Amino acid sequence: MTDTGLDAPPRRKGLTRRRKRGLSRGAQYTVFVAAVIALAVTADWGRLGNQFAQTDIARRMFPDVITLALKNTVLFTVSGFVVGLALGMVIALMRLSSVGPYRWLAGIYIEIFRGLPALLIFIFIGVAVPLAFPGTEIVGGTYGKVALALGLVAAAYMAETIRAGIQAVPRGQMEAARSLGFSPARAMASVIVPQAFRIILPPLTNELVLLFKDSSLVLFLGVTLEERELSKYGRDLASQTANSTPILVAGLCYLLITIPLGFVVRRMEAKAQEAVR
Amino acid sequence: MSRPEIDVRGLYKSFGQNRVLRGIDLEIGRGEVVCVIGPSGSGKSTLLRCVNLLEEPTEGRVFVGGTELTDPDVDIDAARRRIGMVFQQFNLFPHLTVTENLTLPQRRVLRRGKARAAKVAAENLARVGLSEKADAYPSSLSGGQQQRVAIARALAMGPEVMLFDEPTSALDPELVGDVLAVMRMLADEGMTMMVVTHEMTFAREVADRVVFMDGGVIVEDGTPDRVIKAPRHERTRHFLSRLLDPAMADVEEETSDQVGGGT
Ligand SMILES: Nc1ncnc2c1ncn2[C@@H]1O[C@H](COP(=O)(O)OP(=O)(O)OP(=O)(O)O)[C@@H](O)[C@H]1O
Ligand SMILES: [Mg+2]
C-alpha cells in the first residue's frame, strides 16, 4: 500500500458499519414477513380450525383435564423429582467420596442412566421388572413405578449437577467449618450443601421442567382411567372424538406449568449473576 | 515455665517433592503473642495450618493445650474447637447473616441451646464493635467488618488459642486498623495468639516474640526488639529491609532452595 499523508484518517470505503447493520436487519425482516405471508396463504385455515379449535370439545374436557390429567402430571413429576433428588444427592456424595468403590459405582450409574432413553427405563420398570420378578410389587402402584422410573433418569443428571454445585463452593468454606470443629459430614450438611443448592437452583428447576415432559412416558406403563396424565388423556380423547383439539388443550396445560417455571429460572439466573457482580 | 500452650516438635511437611517445612520446633506459652514473619512461600501458612491440623504433618508432633493433635487416635474435631482460626479471606458463610454465622457453629458443634448461642453471639459481636450489623449478610459488609465478624465467630466457640493467617492482607489500608485493634484487645485480655503478619508495627508493639521463617525453617526467634531492630542473620536483615522499604529492593533471582513461590 502506498503511504500518503501520515495523519489522514482511514478512508471510508464501501459501506459503513451503521449502514451494514441497517441492511442486514432489513433483510431479516423481509424474510420473516415473506414466510408469514406464505404460511397464511397456503394453510387451510378452515380445516385447521376444525381440527384444533373445536370449542365444544375443548369445553367438554373441563374440569377433568385439570383435576385429573394435570393433577396426575404434577403428581408424577414431583414424586419423580423427589426420588431423583434424594438419589442424586447420594450419588453425588458417593462421587466425591474418598472411598474408591463408591466413586466407581456412582460413575457407572451416571454413565448408564445418562445414556439410556427414558422410554427404555419406563418399559424396563413397567414390563421387564414384573416379568423378571413375578409377584414383586413396586410400592405405590403406578405412582411408585413412575416415581422410580423418572427418579432413576433424573438422578443421573441431578447427581452431576449437585456434584458441580458442591465443587463450586470455595475450599475456604470447608476449611473454616473444619477449623470451627465441624466434622466433615456436618460441615457438608450445614455449610457446603446449602450453598451448593443456591448455586444449582436454576439447573435443578430446569430438570423439573424436563421431568414434566418425560412424565408423559407413563403412557407406556399401562395406566387405569384415573391414572391418566395430560398426554394420555389428550390422546384418548383425540381418538374418541376423532379431533385434535384435546392434543392442543393438553399441550397448553404443559405450557401453563413450564413457561412460568422457565421464567422463574431466568429470574434466578439473573439474580445469581447480580450477586456475583 | 509451665507446659507450653502450643508445642511443635520436629515438624516436617512436604507437598509431593516440595519440602515446605524442614524441621520446625516452636513453643508458645499461655497468653503469649507470637508473630511469624518471612518471605512469601517460606511456609508460614503451612506451619499455622499444621498447628490445627488443617494440613497433616509429614513428620513431627503438635501439641495444643497438652493434647497431641498428631496422635491418630485423638478426636480432632474436639481438639479444633479449642483453636480459633482467622483466614486471610475471612471465609464467612455467605448464605447466613452475621448472627447466624456465629450461632450455627455453636449450635451444631457445641450443641448449645438457641438462647445461649444467641447470647454468646451478641456478646462477641459487641466485643468486635459490630452489634449493629447483627442481621446483615456478610456480602454487605466491608472487608474489615467481615474480618472482625470472622474473629467474633471464632471467639464465640470459646477457644484457648487463636491462629491468624495474614488477617489484614486482603484489606484496604484504611480498614486494617480496626482489625488490628480487635487483635490488640485480645492480646491484652491474655489470649494465646500465633499471628502470621507483615504488620511490623503490630509485631513491635503487641507481640511478645517474633519468629522469622525462611525456606521452611525458623531462622530467628526472639523479642520484637531483638529480631526487628537487631537481627542477627543476614536473611532476616535482608527481608526486613525489603519489607520496610519496598522501593529499595533490587530485582533478584529466586533463591535456589525455593521451589515454586507461594502467593
Ligand atoms: N495445598 C498445597 N499443595 C501443594 N503445595 C502447597 C500447598 N499449600 C502450600 N503449598 C506450597 O508450599 C509452599 C509454602 O506455602 P505457604 O502458603 O505455607 O507459604 P507462606 O509463607 O504462607 O507464603 P505467603 O506469604 O505467600 O502466604 C509454597 O511453595 C506453596 O506452593
Ligand atoms: Mg500464607
Side-chain angles (χ1 to χ4, degrees), chain B residues 51-206:
Chain B
V51 171
N52 70 353
L53 242 67
L54 274 185
E55 299 288 359
E56 188 95 35
T58 309
E59 207 187 309
R61 303 169 81 182
V62 174
F63 299 80
V64 175
T67 308
E68 182 182 351
L69 271 66
T70 37
D71 177 352
D73 292 323
V74 84
D75 177 355
I76 189 65
D77 298 323
R80 285 207 188 102
R81 280 165 216 166
R82 296 159 40 193
I83 310 171
M85 182 151 194
V86 176
F87 301 86
Q88 186 174 348
Q89 298 298 338
F90 328 134
N91 293 347
L92 291 177
F93 304 138
H95 61 303
L96 302 177
T97 65
V98 165
T99 297
E100 288 164 351
N101 261 277
L102 271 67
T103 51
L104 180 82
Q106 294 183 63
R107 292 180 45 92
R108 292 278 188 283
V109 175
L110 302 178
R111 299 264 156 221
R112 281 183 185 153
K114 213 172 183 164
R116 173 90 203 285
K119 184 166 169 287
V120 174
E123 284 166 9
N124 282 290
L125 280 182
R127 275 172 97 184
V128 300
L130 284 173
S131 297
E132 80 276 18
K133 297 290 184 191
D135 298 321
Y137 279 88
S139 58
S140 70
L141 303 184
S142 75
Q145 292 169 332
Q146 289 190 50
Q147 192 60 295
R148 280 144 70 203
V149 172
I151 295 173
R153 178 176 69 178
L155 292 177
M157 305 298 281
E160 289 150 31
V161 167
M162 287 286 285
L163 310 176
F164 295 83
D165 191 0
E166 302 202 36
T168 57
S169 296
L171 300 180
D172 291 337
E174 76 271 19
L175 303 175
V176 168
D178 292 338
V179 173
L180 291 181
V182 169
M183 292 168 61
R184 196 185 286 255
M185 170 193 82
L186 279 182
D188 291 343
E189 289 172 9
M191 177 66 78
T192 307
M193 292 163 61
M194 186 168 169
V195 185
V196 174
T197 187
H198 290 135
E199 296 294 334
M200 297 316 284
T201 314
F202 179 84
R204 227 171 359 237
E205 291 176 6
V206 182

Side-chain angles (χ1 to χ4, degrees), chain A residues 104-170:
Chain A
W104 306 327
L105 268 179
I108 290 169
Y109 179 94
I110 290 169
E111 288 309 326
I112 289 179
F113 280 87
R114 266 204 316 205
L116 294 179
L119 174 56
L120 201 70
I121 293 166
F122 270 82
I123 294 172
F124 183 78
I125 299 282
V127 180
V129 170
L131 282 180
F133 310 96
T136 54
E137 255 316 305
I138 291 173
V139 283
T142 305
Y143 292 96
K145 283 186 203 164
V146 178
L148 188 63
L150 280 181
L152 287 174
V153 179
Y157 289 95
M158 290 205 214
E160 284 296 84
T161 308
I162 295 169
R163 180 181 62 86
I166 288 174
Q167 286 179 328
V169 176

Side-chain angles (χ1 to χ4, degrees), chain A residues 171-241:
Chain A
R171 234 172 58 124
Q173 292 291 310
M174 182 53 105
E175 292 185 347
R178 295 306 307 277
S179 79
L180 287 160
F182 281 85
S183 68
R186 202 169 279 160
M188 193 52 105
S190 32
V191 175
I192 307 298
V193 168
Q195 291 185 56
F197 268 91
R198 249 151 250 253
I199 299 171
I200 62 174
L201 211 52
L204 278 187
T205 315
N206 265 332
E207 184 61 31
L208 187 63
V209 171
L210 292 181
L211 283 184
F212 255 104
K213 301 190 285 180
D214 280 350
S215 68
S216 60
L217 294 172
V218 78
L219 210 76
F220 295 91
L221 283 182
V223 293
T224 65
L225 287 180
E226 277 68 48
E227 291 165 348
R228 286 180 301 175
E229 42 64 68
L230 282 170
S231 290
K232 175 127 175 73
Y233 182 82
R235 194 184 77 155
D236 286 359
L237 238 69
S239 48
Q240 265 173 42
T241 57

Side-chain angles (χ1 to χ4, degrees), chain B residues 198-233:
Chain B
H198 290 135
E199 296 294 334
M200 297 316 284
T201 314
F202 179 84
R204 227 171 359 237
E205 291 176 6
V206 182
D208 299 299
R209 269 162 60 202
V210 171
V211 167
F212 172 70
M213 276 181 77
D214 194 8
V217 296
I218 292 179
V219 175
E220 214 155 336
D221 178 351
T223 64
D225 276 348
R226 244 264 1 269
V227 176
I228 298 172
K229 296 220 182 93
R232 289 187 190 145
H233 293 262

